[in-house]
Amino acid sequence: MKTLILSLSLILASLSHAAVEGSSISNAHVIYETESSQIIRGKAPANQKQMQELMDLGVTEFLIFKTDTKGEVIKEQEILQKLGIASRSITHISFPWKDLHDFKSACTMTVQALRTIEKAVQKNKSLYFHCTVGEDRTGYLAGLWGLWAGTYSSVPESVEKELCARGYEAGNPGKPYRDVVLKIRETLTPTYLKMVMLLSDARNRGQGLSESLCENEPELSVSVNKYYCAGPRK
């Protein structure tokens, strides 16, 4: 399958680090834009008003990249459908924020999420994706998309400008260190780096986003602590 990297829409794409005007959602940013669509990342919409704000901005596709812990995902889906968003335009991928001990499962969900974003761009539709706070899982996915789409040319650039700048682990200085930051560094960050390796190899081979990429877990050849948002880096 021809990858989106080679398409005209990617050539026209541009990155914006400005907060989204017209939205009251925290940490909402346009991360990818073509002449006819936008990809926006941010925090979970808190209520119907914020969901309507996104729709008023032209968002017609929603990607919920988180586990449903207290029924909040089901509630969001119900409100979106009440507002007129078709169920087929709402994708829920139950991605955990810390318990990522099965790489194949995490990889498969990540590929599914990236493919959801890719399809929205191919169909000239605007998409909003989020986890809970819009920092860790959201940053993880935004960084991978930026590398896949060619917005970022290197892993350090994606980590600095997309993950850390938007509150990933210690990029948010108010985040609990032991209970959150350390757990992200132990599981989510290594998963990010492994996904980068798989996606880079796929792109070099001219392959598209496929769950078959997840069959073999790559072995990291770099020190994970080089990609911490704060603290000692060796």
Side-chain angles (χ1 to χ4, degrees), residues 5 22 30-31 42 72 74-75 81 84 98 109 114 135 146 151 196 224:
I5 299 299
V30 176
I31 64 165
E72 69 279 5
I74 294 176
K75 182 178 179 181
Q81 291 181 60
K98 59 179 180 178
M109 288 187 283
L114 291 171
E135 294 180 347
T151 300
V196 167
V224 177

Side-chain angles (χ1 to χ4, degrees), residues 94-191:
S94 189
F95 195 85
W97 70 270
K98 59 179 180 178
D99 299 319
L100 294 170
H101 304 296
D102 179 358
F103 175 78
K104 184 176 181 179
S105 176
C107 176
T108 298
M109 288 187 283
T110 302
V111 169
Q112 291 170 347
L114 291 171
R115 198 163 55 208
T116 299
I117 297 173
E118 184 177 73
K119 287 180 179 179
V121 175
Q122 290 173 331
K123 294 179 179 179
N124 297 317
K125 294 183 178 181
S126 291
L127 177 145
Y128 183 78
F129 71 92
H130 69 84
C131 53
T132 300
V133 182
E135 294 180 347
D136 299 313
R137 286 168 291 189
T138 298
Y140 162 92
L141 187 58
L144 291 176
W145 170 256
L147 288 166
W148 177 251
T151 300
Y152 297 117
S153 59
S154 69
V155 182
E157 183 186 15
S158 72
V159 171
E160 177 184 354
K161 294 183 178 181
E162 191 64 65
L163 280 71
C164 299
R166 306 298 174 208
Y168 183 86
E169 46 116 317
N172 176 353
K175 191 170 293 181
Y177 183 77
R178 183 176 299 277
D179 294 334
V180 180
V181 173
L182 283 182
K183 292 184 181 301
I184 292 168
R185 290 177 175 179
E186 291 171 358
T187 59
L188 191 58
T189 300
T191 302

Side-chain angles (χ1 to χ4, degrees), residues 21-104:
E21 294 184 10
S23 172
S24 60
I25 299 176
S26 300
N27 211 19
H29 299 272
V30 176
I31 64 165
Y32 188 84
E33 189 171 19
T34 70
E35 292 180 346
S36 54
S37 67
Q38 290 184 324
I39 303 300
I40 308 173
R41 59 163 288 178
K43 186 177 180 178
N47 47 46
Q48 180 172 319
K49 177 180 177 293
Q50 290 190 334
M51 295 180 204
Q52 184 64 59
E53 288 173 355
L54 292 169
M55 293 173 62
D56 291 343
L57 290 169
V59 173
T60 59
E61 305 285 318
F62 288 81
L63 169 58
I64 305 170
F65 194 59
K66 65 184 294 293
T67 52
D68 190 349
T69 57
K70 298 180 180 179
E72 69 279 5
V73 171
I74 294 176
K75 182 178 179 181
E76 180 179 343
Q77 292 171 319
E78 290 175 346
I79 296 175
L80 286 172
Q81 291 181 60
K82 178 182 177 181
L83 292 173
I85 299 296
S87 59
R88 64 178 179 275
S89 296
I90 308 170
T91 301
H92 174 217
I93 296 176
S94 189
F95 195 85
W97 70 270
K98 59 179 180 178
D99 299 319
L100 294 170
H101 304 296
D102 179 358
F103 175 78
K104 184 176 181 179

